[in-house]
C-alpha cells in the first residue's frame, strides 16, 4: 500500500509540474501566431461534421477544438492547465465558437467509455509522460466505429530536434516518463493503440513557419513564450556558460532549417478507427 500511495503522490507532483510548465510564457501566442494551421488540418482529417461529439485531449488554448466547433462539432476541450483553458475561452468567444472547456488529465480522463464520435489531440497528448496510459484513455472514450486523430511533432523534424538540442540542459526526466517526440513515430503510435483500432493511416507532413526572419527571433520568441523552453532555461539560469551555449545551439538549429526566412516543421498526422 505504501508503494501505491508513494506512486500516486509522485504522479500528482509530476502533473503539477507539467501544469506549471505549460502556464509559463504565452503558449496561446505560439498556437495563434506560429502553428495555427495545424488545428484545421487535424479537424479535416477527422472529418468532423455537424452534431459529432468531439473530444480534444490536451487541447491547450483550442488550436484544434475551436475549428472543430466551427465545423459544427459538439466539442469538449480538455487540458491539464487551467490558464490555457481560460485563454481558449476568450479565443473561442472572439471567433464565435461555442464549446465546453474542462480541466482533465490526459492519462485519467473523467469521461465515460465511448462518449465521443471523434477523439483528437494536436501536439498535446504527446506531452503526457506515460504514453500507454494516455493512449488507453484515447481509445476508451471513443465510441466503437469512432475516429481517433493525432497530430504530433516527429523526432526528425524541427521541433523534435529542438527537444534533442535542449535535452542536455534539462533536468533528468522522472522515472517512467517517455520522450514526447516518440508520438511522432508511426510505429510507436500503432503499438500504443494496438489491435483496438483499424484503418490506421499515418502521413508525414510539414507546416510552413515564416514568422521569424532571423534565427535569433525564433530563439527569443520560444525563450519568452514556450513553456518547455522556458523551463529548460530556468534549469540553467545560474550557469551563464551553459545558457550561452544553449542560446547558440538554438540559433544554429534554426539557421540550419531556414530557407529564405521560412522553416518547414515536420509532423505525423495519424487517424484510426476504433473497432
Amino acid at each position: 500500500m505504501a508503494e501505491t500511495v508513494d506512486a500516486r503522490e509522485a504522479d500528482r507532483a509530476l502533473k503539477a509540474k507539467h501544469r506549471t510548465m505549460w502556464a509559463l510564457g504565452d503558449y496561446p501566442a505560439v498556437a495563434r501566431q506560429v502553428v495555427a494551421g495545424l488545428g484545421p488540418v487535424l479537424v479535416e482529417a477527422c472529418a468532423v461534421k455537424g452534431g459529432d461529439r468531439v473530444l480534444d485531449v490536451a487541447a491547450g488554448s483550442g488550436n484544434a477544438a475551436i475549428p472543430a466547433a466551427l465545423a459544427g462539432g459538439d466539442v469538449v476541450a480538455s487540458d491539464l492547465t487551467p490558464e490555457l483553458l481560460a485563454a481558449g475561452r476568450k479565443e473561442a468567444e472572439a471567433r464565435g465558437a461555442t464549446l465546453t472547456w474542462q480541466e482533465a488529465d490526459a492519462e485519467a480522463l473523467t469521461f465515460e467509455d465511448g462518449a465521443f464520435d471523434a477523439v483528437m489531440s494536436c501536439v498535446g497528448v504527446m506531452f503526457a509522460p506515460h504514453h500507454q496510459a494516455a493512449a488507453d484513455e484515447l481509445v476508451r472514450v471513443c465510441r466503437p466505429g469512432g475516429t481517433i486523430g493525432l497530430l504530433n511533432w516527429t523526432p526528425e523534424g524541427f521541433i523534435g530536434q529542438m527537444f534533442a538540442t535542449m535535452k542536455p540542459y534539462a533536468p533528468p526526466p522522472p522515472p517512467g516518463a517517455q520522450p514526447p517526440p516518440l508520438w511522432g513515430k508511426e510505429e510507436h503510435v500503432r503499438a500504443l493503440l494496438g489491435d483496438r483500432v483499424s484503418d490506421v493511416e499515418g502521413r508525414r507532413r510539414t507546416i510552413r513557419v515564416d514568422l521569424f526572419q532571423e534565427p535569433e527571433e525564433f530563439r527569443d520568441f520560444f525563450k519568452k513564450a514556450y513553456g518547455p523552453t522556458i523551463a529548460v532555461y530556468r534549469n540553467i539560469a545560474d550557469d551563464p556558460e551553459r545558457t550561452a551555449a544553449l542560446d547558440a545551439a538554438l540559433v544554429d538549429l534554426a539557421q540550419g532549417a531556414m530557407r529564405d526566412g521560412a522553416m518547414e516543421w515536420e509532423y505525423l498526422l495519424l487517424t484510426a478507427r476504433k473497432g
Side-chain angles (χ1 to χ4, degrees):
M1 178 63 73
E3 289 184 0
T4 301
V5 171
D6 288 346
R8 289 176 180 172
E9 288 297 326
D11 187 64
R12 276 195 287 266
L14 176 58
K15 299 300 170 57
K17 186 176 180 179
H18 274 237
R19 187 181 297 114
T20 298
M21 179 184 72
W22 286 107
L24 296 172
D26 190 359
Y27 183 75
V30 178
R32 184 176 60 253
Q33 298 179 40
V34 186
V35 297
L38 295 181
V41 167
L42 181 57
V43 172
E44 181 180 0
C46 292
V48 174
K49 60 185 184 300
D52 282 353
R53 299 163 297 166
V54 181
L55 175 65
D56 187 2
V57 178
S61 54
N63 182 268
I66 293 173
L70 293 173
D74 178 9
V75 180
V76 177
S78 66
D79 198 274
L80 191 65
T81 305
E83 290 87 348
L84 297 184
L85 297 176
R89 288 188 185 95
K90 292 180 181 179
E91 178 74 9
E93 183 177 354
R95 295 176 61 182
T98 300
L99 61 157
T100 300
W101 301 86
Q102 185 166 332
E103 188 173 339
D105 180 353
E107 298 178 5
L109 296 171
T110 54
F111 310 106
E112 294 183 1
D113 295 0
F116 297 94
D117 299 301
V119 179
M120 62 184 186
S121 186
C122 183
V123 295
V125 75
M126 65 183 293
F127 293 102
H130 308 110
H131 294 187
Q132 191 62 63
D136 290 348
E137 286 295 87
L138 295 174
V139 175
R140 181 184 66 79
V141 300
C142 185
R143 69 164 174 80
T147 299
I148 296 171
L150 304 168
L151 192 157
N152 296 307
W153 302 120
T154 66
E156 301 84 5
F158 181 80
I159 295 297
Q161 290 301 301
M162 184 188 75
F163 276 97
T165 299
M166 295 192 302
K167 184 177 179 180
Y169 304 92
Q178 294 173 279
L182 281 178
W183 280 89
K185 296 179 72 71
E186 182 175 344
E187 59 269 30
H188 180 69
V189 182
R190 282 178 175 269
L192 292 174
L193 299 177
D195 60 5
R196 299 171 294 181
V197 300
S198 62
D199 302 330
V200 180
E201 184 177 356
R203 292 143 284 179
R204 284 179 179 248
R205 297 182 178 179
T206 62
I207 181 172
R208 180 179 172 85
V209 176
D210 57 7
L211 180 66
F212 314 109
Q213 296 304 303
E214 301 293 339
E216 290 83 2
E217 291 181 36
F218 158 77
R219 178 200 62 201
D220 293 345
F221 182 88
F222 268 62
K223 282 179 69 172
K224 179 178 68 174
Y226 193 58
T229 304
I230 296 169
V232 170
Y233 270 99
R234 287 189 175 184
N235 185 57
I236 57 173
D238 60 351
D239 192 329
E241 290 186 4
R242 296 188 76 201
T243 298
L246 180 55
D247 276 345
L250 289 176
V251 166
D252 287 347
L253 178 68
Q255 183 71 64
M258 277 191 169
R259 301 290 183 273
D260 298 323
M263 295 182 276
E264 298 286 338
W265 295 1
E266 186 183 62
Y267 60 86
L268 173 70
L269 176 65
L270 185 142
T271 55
R273 186 169 303 279
K274 180 177 175 179

